[in-house]
Amino acid sequence: MLTLNAIRNNTQEIIDRLAKRGIDRTADIMQVIALDELKRAKQTQLEQNLAKANTIAKDVGELFKAGNRAQADLKKEESIQLKEESRQLETELSELENQLTQKLYEIPNAPSAKVKTGKTPEENEVVFEWGDNPVLPENAKPHWELTSQYQLVDFELGNKITGAGFPVYTGKGARLQRALINFFLDEALSAGYYEIQPPILVNEASGFGTGQLPDKEGQMYHSPIDNLYCIPTAEVPITNMYRDVILKEDELPLKNVGYTPCFRREAGSYGSHVRGLNRLHQFDKVEIVQIAHPDNSYEILENMVDHVKGLMRKLGLKFRILRLCGGDMGFASALTYDFEAWSGAQQKWLEVSSVSNFETFQANRLKCRYKSKDGKNEFVHTLNGSALALPRIVASLLENYQTTDGINLPECLHPYLGFSKI
RNA sequence: GGAGAAAUGGCAGAGCGGUUGAAUGCGGCAGUCUUGAAAACUGUUUUAGUGAAAGCUAACGGGGGUUCGAAUCCCUCUUUCUCCGCCA
């Protein structure tokens, strides 16, 4: 959520930035400011009351020691009165606090300076493009035909065992998965990331920490018995490692990478764009996460983008980078770059990575801060990106590298695969 | 899953109803001494909210309760340890 400090001190700026999402949030921001003022007034009132009660309690103690029973009893009466009042004030205060956080939860992050105003994906800006169109044989096949022809992915079987969107990878298909994961992890390691293997079920507090809750409640698989959620991305557990943590300034930036399966209910998705590997309920992803100093988080964002570029180049996949417009960005993001790989047979762009700077939006919920040189605690900036998500990479690899007598996989994967051709 | 014990500041560890936000030790920081360092000695050292500041308020695993007053008593949840059971 946005920090109260930013809203209070830079009100107009926040409103203007939010407007880039294509919705006017002035009323919400004003409401936050009003609630905050009410809350602080109420709090002062309560604290004064408590201070009085504390003094009385001390006096009572003194009087008892001195053996002055009658006076002590008188003071007690007074204290009981105050307590009644305090209780009332406390209720009112927590009511105001709830309203305030509720309101803050509803407001998305303020897009940063580079973000263009806009509402739809068509308004995203293409900022980079690389690679040539793959040369494909006549009657090039979409990946869902290739996966069955070469017995790489069995969608029917997954359907039988679990349901739609839970494919079974078999033979070279399974080995390709494993090769990609290891390739991505090793690339991140040599870029200085620290490897993490986190739990893939998280508690409610973690869901709130990175902003999946309450915003995307229905998009996560949930086990009510234990009140745990299946992670939609490794971002959730890895970023939550820093929940309620105060870091040292010179520790920053922290660079972590983790491979996890990811689970998404994708409620409301349907149609041909979910065909094959295009959209799944369970998929594998290697995620890079950085905890950064606010002063250089945007340089770090560029570094992360460069890292992903490097992966795409090594895989030899034609791709482009979009800078998302305000309306197409995720709730928590201040600036997002999407990577799209060209899928030769489907003749369309597939989103394979999303790299974002959340500024202090997550850090505020997480209460993740660093101690600055002058001893003050400041919120960190959090960033993350897919490096990379597997299914659409697999789809593009299969489609773009198909020939009439097999699929020639890119060289960077050969050591990981133990074969070069499917 | 059953039985028992425990949870206090960066760490270790006292306190077990009344100036205890918390003894003591270690660690950290500053200083004295020293050419410098070590040792020794002296001082200092939690966080959040609010306020211009002084100050005030809150926090001893989380939540609730008893009391004029709770780190201290009660309830509850969580976590850790020991023993038993089960089991990758």
Side-chain angles (χ1 to χ4, degrees), chain A residues 24 34 81 150 163 176 189 212 344 368:
Chain A
D24 182 24
Q81 270 277 320
Y150 295 103
L176 176 58
L189 251 47
Q212 278 72 23
C368 178

Side-chain angles (χ1 to χ4, degrees), chain A residues 127-128 193 288 298-313 319 321-322 336-339 353-356:
Chain A
V127 293
F128 186 85
Y193 288 87
I288 49 177
Y298 278 95
E299 286 164 45
I300 285 173
L301 181 68
E302 296 305 320
N303 289 343
M304 292 170 76
V305 166
D306 285 344
H307 178 72
V308 179
K309 272 186 195 171
L311 297 177
M312 294 302 286
R313 285 195 173 112
F319 71 98
I321 303 176
L322 305 177
T336 295
Y337 290 105
D338 270 7
F339 281 69
S353 173
S354 189
V355 186
S356 304

Side-chain angles (χ1 to χ4, degrees), chain A residues 104-364:
Chain A
L104 282 171
Y105 275 159
E106 286 168 16
I107 303 174
N109 200 359
S112 80
K114 277 188 180 169
V115 177
K116 205 178 91 179
T117 305
K119 278 186 165 176
T120 63
E122 286 70 41
E123 293 167 84
N124 296 335
E125 306 166 84
V126 178
V127 293
F128 186 85
E129 207 166 332
W130 181 90
D132 300 320
N133 274 327
V135 185
L136 299 184
E138 295 260 330
N139 311 318
K141 294 173 180 169
H143 70 269
W144 52 85
E145 287 180 22
L146 296 165
T147 51
S148 86
Q149 180 183 338
Y150 295 103
Q151 296 174 18
L152 304 172
V153 185
D154 194 329
F155 291 98
E156 296 299 312
L157 193 55
N159 206 349
K160 169 182 159 187
I161 302 170
T162 306
F166 293 91
V168 177
Y169 302 89
T170 57
K172 285 185 171 172
R175 291 170 69 184
L176 176 58
Q177 292 285 113
R178 188 154 54 87
L180 283 166
I181 292 164
N182 284 330
F183 169 63
F184 293 149
L185 283 172
D186 283 352
E187 288 292 307
L189 251 47
S190 49
Y193 288 87
Y194 181 70
E195 187 170 346
I196 303 290
Q197 196 173 102
I200 55 180
L201 263 62
V202 294
N203 58 28
E204 209 174 9
S206 295
F208 274 96
T210 30
Q212 278 72 23
L213 292 173
D215 190 43
K216 293 182 188 155
E217 170 93 60
Q219 293 297 339
M220 284 193 288
Y221 290 96
H222 180 221
S223 163
I225 298 178
D226 300 299
N227 198 20
L228 296 174
Y229 293 85
C230 292
I231 57 169
T233 157
E235 162 199 343
V236 178
I238 293 179
T239 311
N240 269 283
M241 300 196 302
Y242 304 98
R243 174 150 49 83
D244 295 319
V245 167
I246 297 173
L247 297 157
K248 295 194 191 96
E249 190 167 20
D250 57 20
E251 285 181 273
L252 301 174
L254 288 159
K255 303 172 71 174
N256 291 320
V257 60
Y259 152 71
T260 66
C262 302
F263 302 89
R264 299 186 182 179
R265 294 191 60 235
E266 302 291 1
S269 293
Y270 59 91
S272 62
H273 63 290
V274 307
R275 190 119 189 235
L277 294 168
N278 287 357
R279 179 152 307 200
L280 301 171
H281 288 307
Q282 178 180 332
F283 63 95
D284 295 293
K285 180 159 64 68
V286 172
E287 183 82 359
I288 49 177
V289 176
Q290 292 211 39
I291 309 292
H293 194 288
D295 289 352
N296 63 359
S297 68
Y298 278 95
E299 286 164 45
I300 285 173
L301 181 68
E302 296 305 320
N303 289 343
M304 292 170 76
V305 166
D306 285 344
H307 178 72
V308 179
K309 272 186 195 171
L311 297 177
M312 294 302 286
R313 285 195 173 112
K314 285 192 183 175
L315 291 171
L317 294 174
K318 179 183 174 175
F319 71 98
R320 64 178 191 179
I321 303 176
L322 305 177
R323 182 161 54 221
L324 299 191
C325 72
D328 202 33
M329 280 198 318
F331 188 79
S333 177
L335 177 59
T336 295
Y337 290 105
D338 270 7
F339 281 69
E340 295 184 331
W342 178 250
S343 168
Q346 295 180 71
Q347 290 286 303
K348 66 178 186 183
W349 295 101
L350 299 177
E351 186 193 330
V352 292
S353 173
S354 189
V355 186
S356 304
N357 188 351
F358 301 93
E359 297 190 357
T360 59
F361 196 83
Q362 288 182 329
N364 187 22

